[in-house]
Amino acid sequence: MKRTLFAAFIGGLLLFIVQFLSWGLLNLHQPAQQYTSRQDSILNFLQQQQLPAGGYLMPNVPENASMQEYDQMLLAAEGKPWVSIQYHHRNNSRMGLNMARGLATNILTVGLLCWILGRWRRPQFRSYFMAALFTGTIVFLNAPYTYHIWYQSFDLYAHLFDALAGWALCGVWLGWYLPGVQQKSTRPDWTAEASTMNID
């Protein structure tokens, strides 16, 4: 158990390092968070609108709009600019806390994968590496890419890098470490034992 937790910790740390490089030093997500010299006037205008905190998609229709009104809006908006806004009343910069939560989430995610891998009867580097790489592919397709289909995010390839590079690195670690741990395990193989029993 302790060795599995250790595997999850190191795997989560590797994911965190890749994410840190992607969002920080390499700045691959910059296309989705660009600077504009008009930011002050835009923020002041939005503040004057007294919007409730939340996400806004424009153009859009009210929640109680009919399907006909929705179709008319889509027709009128075709080929014109549109915008998605995440509006918050206060900027709370909690870098340390957010980084700790991100690391904890990564460790938990890798721990769940370790739980699955721990049930495999034939631990092999290649199988564990591919399982981790497929996990990264699932993570990418299920969230960033599905979101991109509808809202055309500007940092799609950065998310692809995060998923494949991070989980491939994690897969190398798990493929090297976990098989050795499982082979040293003293847990009895009840299936093998039952097959050797003579039941009259």
Side-chain angles (χ1 to χ4, degrees):
M1 181 64 178
K2 291 182 179 179
R3 294 188 176 186
T4 301
L5 292 176
F6 178 71
F9 175 79
I10 298 299
L13 183 61
L14 292 174
L15 287 181
F16 180 83
I17 291 173
V18 171
Q19 293 166 352
F20 176 79
L21 292 174
S22 174
W23 287 90
L25 296 180
L26 300 178
N27 199 22
L28 300 181
H29 293 268
Q30 187 271 341
Q33 46 190 6
Q34 299 182 64
Y35 166 80
T36 172
S37 59
R38 302 175 183 176
Q39 64 182 12
D40 291 337
S41 59
I42 294 173
L43 289 171
N44 289 334
F45 174 80
L46 290 175
Q47 189 173 9
Q48 293 171 6
Q49 307 310 307
Q50 298 182 344
L51 293 173
Y56 297 88
L57 178 65
M58 295 173 275
N60 206 342
V61 293
E63 292 184 8
N64 57 354
S66 65
M67 198 64 192
Q68 182 179 3
E69 291 174 310
Y70 181 76
D71 292 339
Q72 290 175 350
M73 182 276 297
L74 290 180
L75 184 62
E78 184 67 27
K80 297 179 181 178
W82 64 278
V83 64
S84 175
I85 297 175
Q86 301 296 318
Y87 184 71
H88 305 270
H89 289 155
R90 292 181 179 85
N91 182 8
N92 297 320
S93 299
R94 298 175 293 182
M95 183 68 71
L97 178 60
N98 289 342
M99 292 179 69
R101 291 171 62 187
L103 176 59
T105 300
N106 288 340
I107 293 173
L108 175 61
T109 306
V110 177
L112 294 174
L113 177 60
C114 288
W115 184 88
I116 296 174
L117 297 179
R119 268 93 190 130
W120 289 12
R121 294 187 178 180
R122 296 182 179 178
Q124 296 178 345
F125 174 88
R126 180 180 178 182
S127 298
Y128 282 15
F129 174 78
M130 294 304 298
L133 193 60
F134 288 168
T135 300
T137 304
I138 292 170
V139 168
F140 171 74
L141 294 176
N142 186 56
Y145 184 73
T146 301
Y147 181 88
H148 175 78
I149 292 173
W150 296 98
Y151 300 107
Q152 294 85 55
S153 54
F154 292 97
D155 58 344
L156 179 68
Y157 292 109
H159 283 291
L160 179 61
F161 172 84
D162 295 347
L164 297 186
W167 282 99
L169 188 60
C170 182
V172 171
W173 158 248
L174 296 179
W176 173 80
Y177 181 77
L178 280 183
V181 171
Q182 291 179 324
Q183 289 172 358
K184 294 178 183 179
S185 174
T186 58
R187 182 178 60 183
D189 189 344
W190 299 110
T191 303
E193 182 176 342
S195 64
T196 60
M197 294 176 62
N198 294 322
I199 302 176
D200 295 331

